[in-house]
Amino acid sequence: MIRVLVVDDEALVRRGFTHILNAAEDIEVVAAVPGGQAVRTVRESCPDVVLLDIRMPDVDGLTVLADLRRMPDPPVVAMLTTFDTDEYVAAALRSGAAGFLLKDTDPEQLPYLVRALAEGGTVLSSKITRTVVDGYLDQGVRESAARLTARLTERERAVLVLMAEGLANTDIGQRLHLSTGTVKGHVSTLLGKLRVSSRVQAALIAERAGLLTPQQDGDTR
């Protein structure tokens, strides 16, 4: 059972996400709270995945994200936003968010996206704008994405593409006929070569380098 915490300042959004996710047999929304209660609720309920509003009146979503990331065993956090051009998105990705979702994501896709997050995948709305991607890369990476990915071996590049498409290590191993341990080794090496610390940051570089093909909104990458 995947345990999910929904954090949003709007009660209607909390109820909507709770209703949709609880309808899935393998997902349980353990709590749905406003931002001021987020950190305490995570400590109490130990969710696997947190869906966190990026803008809230009582506490900034980036502040909550930073607090969660400092925990000894932090949950996976994906940011919720109304606008794909939200200027906070790049900052959230640099701070360790596993991706971001627009609040108008297709309800039928939501359980699938939560499963991808729980399995270690990355989730990026395909509506993410070039401005947001470039803004993150310009501030976080000094060299071009193409030059960074050129450092990778053919095998590492194949792992990067599948990782950016949202596949977990086990699935990547099955696709490439590698053990999970070998995949983990490739992931660790390619993150070092790309000079990033998370899979979602690597996914953005893969997109910027033109390694990914356009997909439908809400796709995992």
Side-chain angles (χ1 to χ4, degrees), residues 82-105:
T82 305
F83 307 103
D84 60 316
T85 55
D86 196 311
E87 65 269 23
Y88 290 146
V89 169
L93 295 177
R94 288 195 300 273
S95 298
F100 80 95
L101 297 173
L102 299 182
K103 292 185 182 180
D104 62 357
T105 295

Side-chain angles (χ1 to χ4, degrees), residues 102-173:
L102 299 182
K103 292 185 182 180
D104 62 357
T105 295
D106 185 343
E108 294 185 359
Q109 292 187 5
L110 192 56
Y112 170 77
L113 299 176
V114 166
R115 293 184 189 108
L117 288 165
E119 293 171 0
T122 61
V123 172
L124 297 173
S125 166
S126 63
K127 290 183 180 179
I128 184 171
T129 64
R130 182 57 55 192
T131 300
V132 172
V133 174
D134 286 346
Y136 165 74
L137 292 172
D138 288 344
Q139 297 179 51
V141 180
R142 294 182 181 276
E143 300 180 64
S144 72
R147 185 179 302 175
L148 286 166
T149 55
R151 298 175 175 177
L152 305 179
T153 65
E154 182 177 350
R155 177 66 75 190
E156 290 165 352
R157 194 174 293 109
V159 171
L160 172 62
V161 170
L162 295 177
M163 184 177 73
E165 290 176 353
L167 273 68
N169 290 342
T170 301
D171 298 322
I172 294 173

